[in-house]
Amino acid sequence: MDELTDPLLRGDRRALSRAITLIESTRADHRARSVQLLAELPQRQALRIGLSGTPGVGKSSFIETFGKMLTGQGLKVAVLAVDPSSARSGGSILGDKTRMETLTRDPLAFIRPSPSRAELGGVARRTRATVRLCEAAGFDVVLIETVGVGQSETLVAEMSDLFVLLLAPAGGDELQGVKRGIMEIADLVLVNKADGDLRATALRTVSDYAGALRLLRHRPQDPDGYPLALPVSALTGEGLTEAWGHMRHLSDWRRQSGHFDARRAEQARQWFHAEIRAGLLAQLERPDIIAILRKTGDDVAQGQLDPDRAATWVLEQLRSANRFA
Amino acid sequence: MDELTDPLLRGDRRALSRAITLIESTRADHRARSVQLLAELPQRQALRIGLSGTPGVGKSSFIETFGKMLTGQGLKVAVLAVDPSSARSGGSILGDKTRMETLTRDPLAFIRPSPSRAELGGVARRTRATVRLCEAAGFDVVLIETVGVGQSETLVAEMSDLFVLLLAPAGGDELQGVKRGIMEIADLVLVNKADGDLRATALRTVSDYAGALRLLRHRPQDPDGYPLALPVSALTGEGLTEAWGHMRHLSDWRRQSGHFDARRAEQARQWFHAEIRAGLLAQLERPDIIAILRKTGDDVAQGQLDPDRAATWVLEQLRSANRFA
């Protein structure tokens, strides 16, 4: 048994941090050890909540207030981020933690930013594993947050039990450019800043979204009225109890119908497939192969080599060197 | 030299058809021969025009009228389709040809439907190669058409010199649910059916889209005023000469600025990379591997195997069997 397994199962935060660092490492020995570690962990379930919101909607404040409410009920809360590196500046990792100052100091909370300088696929992979580590460490709720950039929302939804979309009050009646696909995966749309001068606008935005959500097909696995839109305020805390109530109601309903477990089973299968594809493609990221791809790619771009033939040649190189399939 | 090369270069249609069938084949010997054939072909350039339009906009009629106009000017026109199999019914391949009855009989035209029962990635691959065959056979214009489903539009844009979006006149002022991403890749938006009762609506739709296009960032490689929206009628032929004029103006401009060749060079590089990724992932489609993936995937879904560890095990199987990298 790995030396981290026991302290991890006891909920030791230092062991959890070290295990995540291990999982994030690309070193071959670390990778082997992390595969071993994950296989040793017993199945424990947290409620996995995906949370998306573009910058400016007050996501950090929401997580801080919502997280404190949960820890106030004695629940252990982990917050993980899934962001493509393009979406964050160098300093934002520190920034995240300082923006959630109170939650960071909470002994029942654990905050882990996205690994820096990583591809979205790699971040997704490691976050899935990190979620499992947090579950093993006894967390009750795992919040997986992402900015609404590219495919990150779909990836987060695919590793969550519930998907929550956080929005700001909108001035007009337009729907803030929210992609239709995101509306379709959202279980709950929360309109933040329902306080002070913005309260009326927030309520109007809620009803706009409630209308839009009604146009979407009802999901047979859910009770009537879902997905729904609610006003919340990270500042005053308004609506957070209600939002949490809906999250629990929806997840309890799905547990009873069997949909919860079926979804997790399908997610595990998808993870397995994604890992295999990632493993096959990973060999293209090795320095010797990168050099071949660059040189050959230049010849192809200059018209000196046919793309198809050049690809066949590179694949033959990979095969004849008996490199990892 | 392949026996098809010479008749192909002379523009023999039967040789072209046979070469395409060869390229579409998944048999290993056919695949090797088609790689060889493609590598033998000299670089000839047609204007590659991507064309997208959802069912109901009159795409077949547009292609028929537009194609006839081009062949009327003595130009050789090839029409290829890129559609995910989910987007077409079994009978639609025949349907395509019967809907373009006049063009099909035109000796200067060549129509080739999408291969049936194929993944989008596979269709894209073969279409790229088919475009090269058509160019080698002396075609002046290659129209690559797709229905607006999923990622097919992006794929078509990535293999085209120009991308044209065909729309129907819209009743209201809403923009027909056209994805913003598609608007961003369109060089020309054509509103069809600008005839009879729908003419006024079509003109209004054109000005709606002209407004929307102005909001998009101007592309530094293009002259002022592009991308633009125009009314056309596949029924009366109105606007087709003007549309073709704009396509030529835009492509001539890009040729002179060097953007045309730079784009083709980048496309060839992307094709090369895509072929390598496809080659690596192709081994997952072999019957023995599919069986392993299904069995192991079931165990993972049932919680009997850890996804990460199961993936590592499958990758080891692939490697130790010294299977194709």
Side-chain angles (χ1 to χ4, degrees), chain B residues 122-141:
Chain B
V123 174
R125 232 174 133 176
R126 280 169 282 186
T127 306
R128 272 189 286 240
T130 303
V131 169
R132 290 232 21 233
L133 294 177
C134 292
E135 292 188 319
F139 282 86
D140 302 294
V141 175

Side-chain angles (χ1 to χ4, degrees), chain A residues 132 269 298 306 309 322, chain B residues 36 132 269 298 306 322:
Chain A
R132 291 233 19 234
R269 190 197 298 273
D298 285 347
D306 174 74
R309 184 166 220 177
N322 191 18
Chain B
Q36 181 66 37
R132 290 232 21 233
R269 189 196 299 272
D298 286 346
D306 174 74
N322 191 16

